[in-house]
C-alpha cells in the first residue's frame, strides 16, 4: 500500500526547509538595531554571539539528548585560539574564525568517542569534568593564556580589509549577525535532513535506532563535533569583537548560562536558543543595571516562572497557545 503524499517522508522533510513569513520577518527585524537602537549595538552583538553558542548546545541537547555541563570548553578554546592567533601577529578575523572553529571541532571529535559511550548522569559528570580540566589547564598555563589576568595584546585587523571594529559596534554586530545567520542555515538544513531525524530518534531511544539503520554512536560523534565547531566559532567572535579573552570563557558559569538560555527559549526548537538568548541577555542587562548586587535573583525568578508556566520554554508555550484555538474548534 502506497503512502499518501502528505505522509511521504521526503515531502515532509522538504516542507521543513521552506521559509515561512514569520521567519523572514524575524530575520529582517534583527537589522532594526542598526537604525532604531544604535547605542545598544554592543549588546546586540553579544546577543548574536550567545545565540550562536546556544544554537550549538541545542543540536546536542535539544535534538540528540546529550546533556552537557561543560560546553563552554569549546567556546573558550575557540576564544583563546582566535585571541592567540591575533596576538601572535595575524589579526585577520575570518582566518581566525575558521581556525578557532577547527580547533574546537578537533577537541569535540576527540572527546566525542567518550561522550558517545555514556548517557544521563554519567554524561553530565564527564562533560563537567572535561570542562573543569580545560579551565584549570588554561589557568595554569599563565605563560600562554595570561591566566587570571586574561590574554593581553589581542589586536584585530579590519574585517575584509576595509571595516575596522568601531567603538559603537556597527561592524561587530554585522559580523556576529552574519555568522549567526550562516550557522543557522546550516543547523536548519541539518535538522530537516535524515540525519536530524535520526538525532531525534536517538534522543527518544538510542538503543533501538541501530535496528533501523541509524548507528547511534556514529551520529552522536558527528553531532557533537558539529556542535563543538559552532561553539568554538561563537567563542572566536567574542574574542575578536571585544579584543579580550579571559578564563570566564571556559568557566562553568558560561556553561550554566547557556543551559538556562536554552531552557528559557525551548530546547529542541530551532529558534529556541536564539529567542532564549534575546530574553536572557536583555533581562540580564536590565536587571544588572537596576540592581547590580542581586540581579541573579531576578534571573532565577524568571527561570522558575518559565519552568512552571511554560515547561517547554517560551516557544513551546507559544506553540501550545497557538494549537489551543485550533483544537477547540
Amino acid at each position: 500500500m502506497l503512502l499518501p503524499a502528505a505522509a511521504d517522508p521526503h515531502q515532509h522533510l522538504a516542507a521543513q526547509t521552506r521559509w515561512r513569513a514569520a521567519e523572514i520577518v524575524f530575520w529582517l527585524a534583527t537589522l532594526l538595531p542598526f537604525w532604531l537602537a544604535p547605542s545598544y549595538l554592543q549588546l546586540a552583538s553579544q546577543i548574536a554571539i550567545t545565540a550562536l553558542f546556544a544554537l550549538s548546545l541545542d543540536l546536542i541537547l535539544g535534538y540528540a539528548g546529550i546533556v552537557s555541563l561543560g560546553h563552554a570548553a569549546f567556546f573558550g578554546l575557540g576564544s583563546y585560539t582566535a585571541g592567540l592567533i591575533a596576538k601572535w601577529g595575524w589579526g585577520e578575523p575570518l582566518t581566525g574564525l575558521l581556525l578557532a572553529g577547527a580547533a574546537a571541532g578537533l577537541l569535540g571529535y576527540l572527546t566525542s568517542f567518550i561522550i558517545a559511550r555514556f548517557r544521563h548522569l554519567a554524561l553530565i559528570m564527564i562533560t563537567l569534568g572535561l570542562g573543569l580540566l580545560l579551565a584549570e589547564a588554561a589557568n595554569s598555563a599563565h605563560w600562554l593564556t595570561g591566566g587570571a589576568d586574561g590574554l593581553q595584546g589581542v589586536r584585530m585587523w579590519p574585517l575584509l580589509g576595509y571595516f575596522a571594529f568601531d567603538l559603537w559596534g556597527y561592524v561587530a554586530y554585522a559580523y556576529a549577525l552574519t555568522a549567526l545567520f550562516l550557522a543557522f542555515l546550516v543547523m536548519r538544513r541539518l535538522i530537516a535532513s535524515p540525519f536530524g531525524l535520526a538525532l531525534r530518534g536517538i534522543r527518544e531511544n538510542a538503543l533501538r535506532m541501530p535496528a533501523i539503520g541509524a548507528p547511534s554512536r556514529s551520529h552522536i560523534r558527528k553531532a557533537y563535533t558539529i556542535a563543538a565547531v559552532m561553539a568554538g566559532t561563537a567563542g572566536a567572535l567574542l574574542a575578536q569583537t571585544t579584543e579580550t579573552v579571559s578564563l570566564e570563557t571556559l568557566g562553568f558559569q558560561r556553561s550554566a548560562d547557556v543551559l538556562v538560555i536554552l531552557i528559557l527559549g525551548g530546547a529542541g526548537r530551532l529558534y529556541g536558543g536564539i529567542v532564549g538568548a534575546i530574553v536572557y541577555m536583555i533581562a540580564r542587562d536590565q536587571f544588572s543595571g537596576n540592581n547590580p548586587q542581586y540581579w541573579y535573583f531576578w534571573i532565577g525568578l524568571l527561570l522558575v516562572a518559565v519552568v512552571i508556566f511554560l515547561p517547554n520554554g517560551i516557544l513551546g508555550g507559544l506553540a501550545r497557545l497557538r494549537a489551543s484555538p485550533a483544537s477547540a474548534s
Side-chain angles (χ1 to χ4, degrees):
M1 180 179 177
L2 294 176
L3 290 172
D8 189 320
H10 298 287
Q11 291 189 10
H12 171 74
L13 291 176
Q16 300 301 309
T17 61
R18 296 194 189 101
W19 284 83
R20 296 167 178 81
E23 291 185 272
I24 298 173
V25 171
F26 173 83
W27 286 105
L28 289 176
T30 61
L31 301 176
L32 293 179
F34 285 112
W35 296 279
L36 299 183
S39 60
Y40 285 93
L41 285 177
Q42 291 287 0
L43 175 62
S45 65
Q46 295 294 310
I47 292 174
I49 293 169
T50 305
L52 175 56
F53 187 30
L55 203 63
S56 71
L57 181 62
D58 197 23
L59 178 62
I60 59 173
L61 174 59
Y63 288 95
I66 304 170
V67 183
S68 175
L69 283 180
H71 204 53
F74 307 115
F75 184 92
L77 180 60
S79 186
Y80 273 105
T81 301
L84 287 170
I85 290 172
K87 181 181 178 179
W88 292 338
W90 185 259
E92 202 283 310
L94 296 180
T95 307
L97 197 69
L98 293 175
L99 291 176
L106 178 60
L107 177 63
Y109 175 74
L110 294 176
T111 55
S112 69
F113 288 89
I114 302 174
I115 300 301
R117 295 175 60 88
F118 299 94
R119 303 287 288 181
H120 309 305
L121 184 59
L123 193 56
I124 294 174
M125 300 306 294
I126 290 171
T127 54
L128 177 60
L130 290 173
L132 294 175
L133 282 173
L134 191 60
E136 186 54 37
N139 186 33
S140 301
H142 188 281
W143 59 273
L144 179 66
T145 65
D149 297 326
L151 188 64
Q152 308 296 322
V154 178
R155 297 291 180 269
M156 300 308 304
W157 299 349
L159 183 63
L160 301 177
Y162 295 99
F163 307 103
F165 289 97
D166 55 283
L167 183 63
W168 299 274
Y170 283 93
V171 175
Y173 181 53
Y175 182 38
L177 183 62
T178 301
L180 170 63
F181 182 67
L182 292 177
F184 172 82
L185 292 180
V186 173
M187 178 84 165
R188 195 174 189 272
R189 186 65 181 175
L190 278 176
I191 297 309
S193 69
F195 176 72
L197 291 178
L199 289 183
R200 278 169 274 194
I202 292 169
R203 178 189 64 194
E204 299 302 324
N205 195 320
L207 296 177
R208 292 187 178 182
M209 288 304 293
I212 59 173
S216 297
R217 290 187 178 180
S218 175
H219 280 57
I220 288 174
R221 288 197 298 268
K222 292 175 185 175
Y224 200 74
T225 304
I226 295 170
V229 171
M230 294 172 64
T233 302
L237 287 171
L238 181 65
Q240 293 175 344
T241 55
T242 62
E243 293 190 338
T244 182
V245 186
S246 68
L247 288 176
E248 184 271 337
T249 59
L250 288 163
F252 169 74
Q253 187 62 55
R254 187 169 290 272
S255 293
D257 284 348
V258 74
L259 188 59
V260 168
I261 286 169
L262 205 53
I263 293 172
L264 282 175
R269 297 177 181 274
L270 193 54
Y271 284 88
I274 300 175
V275 172
I278 294 171
V279 172
Y280 180 85
M281 296 296 287
I282 292 177
R284 189 178 73 171
D285 180 69
Q286 295 299 313
F287 291 154
S288 61
N290 295 332
N291 197 331
Q293 290 181 312
Y294 304 108
W295 65 272
Y296 251 116
F297 169 81
W298 301 107
I299 291 291
L301 189 63
L302 175 63
L303 180 61
V304 170
V306 168
V307 171
I308 292 175
F309 298 105
L310 302 171
N312 295 320
I314 295 172
L315 291 187
L318 292 176
R320 187 174 60 183
L321 289 175
R322 187 175 61 180
S324 295
S327 60
S329 60

